[in-house]
Amino acid sequence: MQPEQLYRRYQELQQYVGWTEEDAKRVQSVAELLQLQLPALIDDFYEEIDRHPDARKVITGGKEQVQRLKGTLLRWIEELLSGPYDMNYVVRRWKVGWRHVEIGLDQVYTNVALSRLRRGLLRALEDCLHDDPQEVLAVRRSLNVLIDLDLAIIEDAYQAEYLARQQRTERLAAIGQVAGGVAHELRNPLNVVKTSVYYLLNAKNPTAEKKAEHLGRIERNVILADNVITALSNFAKLPVPNLRPFVLKQCLGEALETISLPAKIQVRAELPDSLAPVLGDIDLIRIVLSNLIRNARDAMPDGGCLTITAGEADRSVEVAFTDTGIGISAENLSRIMEPLYTTKARGLGLGLSIARAILDKNKGSLRVVSQPGQGSTFTVRLLAAPE
Amino acid sequence: MNNGVPSILVVDDDVDTCRNLSDILTDLGYRVDVAHEGLSALDLVRRNHYDVALLDLKMPGMDGVTLYREIKRLRAGTVAIIVSAYASSATAEEALTAGAWQVVAKPIDLTKLLGLVDEAVGQPLLLVVDDDQDLCQSLWDVLRERGYRVYLAHDERQAAEHLKEASFRVVLIDMRLPRGDGGSVFHLVRDANPQARTVLITGHRSETEQAVQQVLKEGANAVCYKPFDIPNLLTTLEGLVEQD
């Protein structure tokens, strides 16, 4: 975050807790008095850290580092007491939280450490002003608010940095996953191309038919490799949908035509002719339907029946794909729509996540119920076209 | 019997990959069978001897390493080369631990792969006939390490089956078997694999000595006493293989 932004945020927080110039003056008025007590406070603070292994483990530099840290803590308290509570002050507080993420110090230690320091400071305050309990109370209130504000900024920085780091790690993991999936899906067609070329170059007595067969295979596998890349880029950048009314039955027919289904799989498409037209991008919805049909096919390696039904409900149209396949375990069910998650030996694991992304953009939705060993039903919901 | 033509089993769920490898290997004079998943591959392995199995690592149903473990139980003498589109060292290690000989990456470097197939086919084929399964497994590891292809038989019937299907360079025969005995296995070898050398193994020196002497007289090449002196056994084997 930019320093100006940080400072604005700090000012907002000050307003929220009712911090005033008066509070600042009150704290500053005791700065000099408390100064003498600070070294003892700080020594006590680090002795306490030494008693907690999880807190101690972030101090890796031995006595020298502790000496340095004591200096830093002293400056921090001096600043706390004397101000000015300006932009630089806030930026330095922010850095404390950021640094804690970097060294792996759990935020709970910041909270309890500040609690300990707070108690020490307040006790020192009582010792110095023992003859004026009224004033002690007033300074106490101000000092408490000030420490809470510091803690809020440190906490804020901690969370922001922690999140940023987590996202970076997840991004790297996702890249690794994509690379693995792409490697497998591309190396298989490349392998075919390579071996066909080897055959054509080295075979001793290839017939004309064999040569033609291998050339055809090369072409087919180049297309397969290209499809992998298309699927990936489709996913990375879905086109903006062109929402128009269309007839679902026609779209389903086109989807079914492009997919080769083995004879042992029976398809029962039972869409009534009277079904209301739907609103959506027919080219994108066709991808959704195709992905669901292909999944149903893959779920029934030993054959079975795919039943496709449709109905209208509440200004929308639902089409359901029910297979009699292997079903999906509860554990997998929660993850199947994640990109790159797959239980198949072949495939990138993008089919369902693409389907869901498309339906989101087409104001539709996708839901699934499944019974392991019995089969699954995927239901697509689309808006009915206005009459 | 394989008529001297080396046989290769290719297993990959990618039909095109199988066709290509089959075309290339057939063109080079190998006999090639193809399967697209583990169960049909095992059907083939039950019926035929294969010198080499080229197994895709990632297939629907049974993966390549699991398939190899099953093949090894049926025909420990088949040399496995695992083909993988993932270049992960963890899976490679798992495959090698299971006893696979090599792991090669897709897209396949064919010059390298064909070189490996040729080398595997040239490795001397041994048969160990012993009812002690642990001993068989240990011997398998030791001999495989030395570049022998090793079939295992635990009784006379299994020995007879293997002898029908492949031609062995050396057969190691335990003199005492639960069904049958070393002498009759020796006769089986002489009938089915007359070119094979034979090494008798025995742990019951006094009880089997007479039978051992008898079989040696009939032409067995050597005798090794249990517990094995492994270096000695290896030297004996080397000598017998080199004589060819």
Side-chain angles (χ1 to χ4, degrees):
Chain A
M1 243 198 268
Q2 293 299 311
E4 292 80 12
Q5 264 176 296
L6 290 179
Y7 189 50
R8 255 198 312 280
R9 190 165 172 75
Y10 186 70
Q11 286 173 313
E12 268 169 38
L13 294 173
Q14 281 181 324
Q15 259 175 14
Y16 193 90
V17 296
W19 174 263
T20 61
E21 259 318 295
E22 235 165 280
D23 287 303
K25 280 192 193 121
R26 215 172 276 132
V27 171
Q28 283 160 348
S29 72
V30 296
E32 223 166 301
L33 267 175
L34 289 175
Q35 181 74 36
L36 284 172
Q37 316 272 347
L38 296 183
L41 252 173
I42 287 167
D43 285 341
D44 162 74
F45 181 83
Y46 276 95
E47 271 160 35
E48 187 60 27
I49 284 184
D50 211 37
R51 282 191 274 273
H52 300 276
D54 273 346
R56 196 178 52 206
K57 75 169 186 224
V58 303
I59 299 175
T60 51
K63 276 195 185 132
E64 261 175 56
Q65 192 189 2
V66 171
Q67 220 39 54
R68 236 179 10 254
L69 289 172
K70 281 184 176 176
T72 312
L73 183 59
L74 179 64
R75 273 194 303 282
W76 181 78
I77 300 175
E78 282 170 355
E79 271 174 28
L80 181 80
L81 297 175
S82 62
Y85 311 111
D86 58 6
M87 192 161 75
N88 287 332
Y89 177 89
V90 179
V91 169
R92 281 194 293 274
R93 264 60 191 157
W94 178 271
K95 276 190 185 146
V96 174
W98 179 87
R99 176 85 183 132
H100 284 175
V101 179
E102 195 173 62
I103 61 176
L105 179 69
D106 196 313
Q107 180 66 8
V108 296
Y109 289 108
T110 310
N111 288 311
V112 292
L114 267 186
S115 169
R116 198 176 176 86
L117 268 179
R118 186 197 305 258
R119 215 167 65 184
L121 276 172
L122 296 180
R123 194 174 295 142
L125 185 69
E126 277 163 30
D127 289 349
C128 298
L129 293 174
H130 53 87
D131 51 347
D132 191 351
Q134 284 288 320
E135 183 61 13
V136 169
L137 220 60
V139 179
R140 248 184 106 107
R141 265 200 298 271
S142 300
L143 192 58
N144 267 328
V145 170
L146 184 63
I147 292 174
D148 287 340
L149 282 169
D150 260 42
L151 195 57
I153 289 292
I154 293 171
E155 176 100 35
D156 199 25
Y158 187 90
Q159 279 177 12
E161 178 62 16
Y162 192 83
L163 196 68
R165 276 173 194 250
Q166 205 176 23
Q167 283 169 345
R168 273 200 294 277
T169 314
E170 278 167 13
R171 249 192 323 268
L172 282 175
I175 290 171
Q177 222 175 350
V178 174
V182 171
H184 188 257
E185 290 308 294
L186 283 182
R187 276 180 186 149
N188 271 305
L190 286 177
N191 186 46
V192 175
V193 170
K194 196 168 171 184
T195 45
S196 275
V197 168
Y198 185 92
Y199 178 82
L200 291 169
L201 288 175
N202 295 291
K204 284 179 223 120
N205 302 303
T207 60
E209 275 161 18
K210 271 279 168 209
K211 282 188 199 163
E213 188 188 313
H214 279 271
L215 287 170
R217 208 170 282 151
I218 289 173
E219 183 174 31
R220 206 147 24 86
N221 279 276
V222 168
I223 293 169
L224 275 178
D226 189 48
N227 286 347
V228 173
I229 294 162
T230 308
L232 259 185
S233 49
N234 275 351
F235 183 74
K237 200 177 126 195
L238 271 186
V240 179
N242 180 13
L243 301 187
R244 282 169 193 280
F246 69 89
V247 176
L248 202 53
K249 198 168 184 170
Q250 177 205 339
C251 182
L252 179 68
E254 290 163 356
L256 278 167
E257 256 173 46
T258 57
I259 297 165
S260 64
L261 291 168
K264 58 193 174 180
I265 291 180
Q266 201 193 345
V267 180
R268 269 191 244 133
E270 297 162 351
L271 268 57
D273 288 321
S274 60
L275 195 67
V278 295
L279 193 65
D281 186 322
I282 186 166
D283 291 324
L284 293 175
I285 300 301
R286 200 184 301 109
I287 295 175
V288 174
L289 305 185
S290 302
N291 287 353
L292 295 178
I293 296 165
R294 264 195 293 269
N295 279 352
R297 176 195 63 193
D298 295 345
M300 300 186 284
D302 302 322
C305 184
L306 168 61
T307 310
I308 307 167
T309 54
E312 293 170 37
D314 187 26
R315 270 175 296 169
S316 57
V317 172
E318 291 197 337
V319 52
F321 296 77
T322 302
D323 65 62
T324 57
I326 53 174
I328 305 160
S329 70
E331 183 200 349
N332 285 330
L333 203 57
S334 58
R335 302 199 57 194
I336 51 170
M337 300 212 191
E338 286 176 23
L340 302 166
Y341 187 79
T342 180
T343 59
K344 300 180 191 173
R346 286 287 149 88
L348 280 173
L350 288 179
L352 282 178
S353 52
I354 287 179
R356 194 170 65 170
I358 288 176
L359 288 170
D360 276 352
K361 291 201 171 189
N362 282 266
K363 301 181 166 50
S365 63
L366 177 63
R367 63 176 194 272
V368 54
V369 289
S370 184
Q371 191 70 43
Q374 312 263 307
S376 313
T377 298
F378 285 83
T379 306
V380 173
R381 190 187 181 103
L382 290 164
L383 286 181
E387 286 171 35
Chain B
M1 215 34 206
N2 59 19
N3 305 320
V5 178
S7 54
I8 318 282
L9 174 65
V10 177
V11 189
D12 195 312
D13 60 319
D14 190 291
V15 178
D16 285 339
T17 298
C18 287
R19 286 202 183 122
N20 278 1
L21 287 174
S22 174
D23 280 355
I24 291 165
L25 291 163
T26 308
D27 184 67
L28 289 169
Y30 295 103
R31 191 174 69 71
V32 183
D33 280 334
V34 157
H36 301 305
E37 43 80 36
L39 291 178
S40 49
L42 287 174
D43 273 346
L44 286 168
V45 171
R46 275 187 203 101
R47 293 202 303 270
N48 309 295
H49 154 78
Y50 294 99
D51 291 284
V52 179
L54 302 178
L55 310 175
D56 185 31
L57 181 66
K58 200 173 179 191
M59 294 184 287
M62 200 185 296
D63 67 87
V65 176
T66 310
L67 173 58
Y68 174 62
R69 287 198 187 99
E70 291 299 313
I71 293 177
K72 192 179 162 197
R73 285 202 311 138
L74 295 165
R75 290 182 191 277
T78 299
V79 174
I81 299 175
I82 304 279
V83 181
S84 164
Y86 293 101
S88 137
S89 58
T91 48
E93 197 149 311
E94 193 198 347
L96 297 176
T97 307
W101 183 45
Q102 299 278 346
V103 178
V104 301
K106 276 186 187 178
I108 297 171
D109 176 346
L110 275 154
T111 314
K112 184 180 162 201
L113 180 74
L114 295 175
L116 289 175
V117 170
D118 188 49
E119 187 185 335
V121 165
Q123 290 175 339
L125 202 54
L126 308 188
L127 175 62
V128 176
V129 188
D130 196 314
D131 61 317
D132 183 341
Q133 309 230 1
D134 289 338
L135 175 79
C136 282
Q137 288 310 322
S138 308
L139 266 183
W140 192 93
D141 288 338
V142 169
L143 296 172
R144 190 73 200 104
E145 173 81 28
R146 286 302 180 105
Y148 295 103
R149 293 182 285 156
V150 186
Y151 264 98
L152 302 173
H154 304 309
D155 56 37
E156 191 175 324
R157 188 183 53 78
Q158 287 179 4
E161 276 172 25
H162 287 320
L163 286 164
K164 257 187 287 175
E165 288 162 346
S167 44
F168 294 94
R169 298 280 286 280
V170 181
V171 183
L172 287 82
I173 309 168
D174 184 17
M175 285 309 286
R176 277 205 355 184
L177 292 165
R179 286 178 292 278
D181 64 75
S184 48
V185 172
F186 173 77
H187 294 136
L188 279 175
V189 177
R190 212 175 40 186
D191 294 343
N193 267 215
Q195 78 296 337
R197 315 280 158 159
T198 44
V199 178
L200 307 178
I201 45 186
T202 179
H204 308 272
R205 209 161 181 156
S206 54
E207 292 164 50
T208 58
E209 194 54 30
Q210 209 181 343
V212 167
Q213 291 307 325
Q214 174 62 30
V215 181
L216 283 173
K217 223 177 281 169
E218 290 180 46
N221 300 90
V223 58
C224 280
Y225 293 99
K226 293 183 193 173
F228 283 140
D229 175 356
I230 295 282
N232 187 28
L233 175 67
L234 292 173
T235 318
T236 307
L237 283 175
E238 259 167 55
L240 291 173
V241 168
E242 266 166 30
Q243 282 175 25
D244 290 328

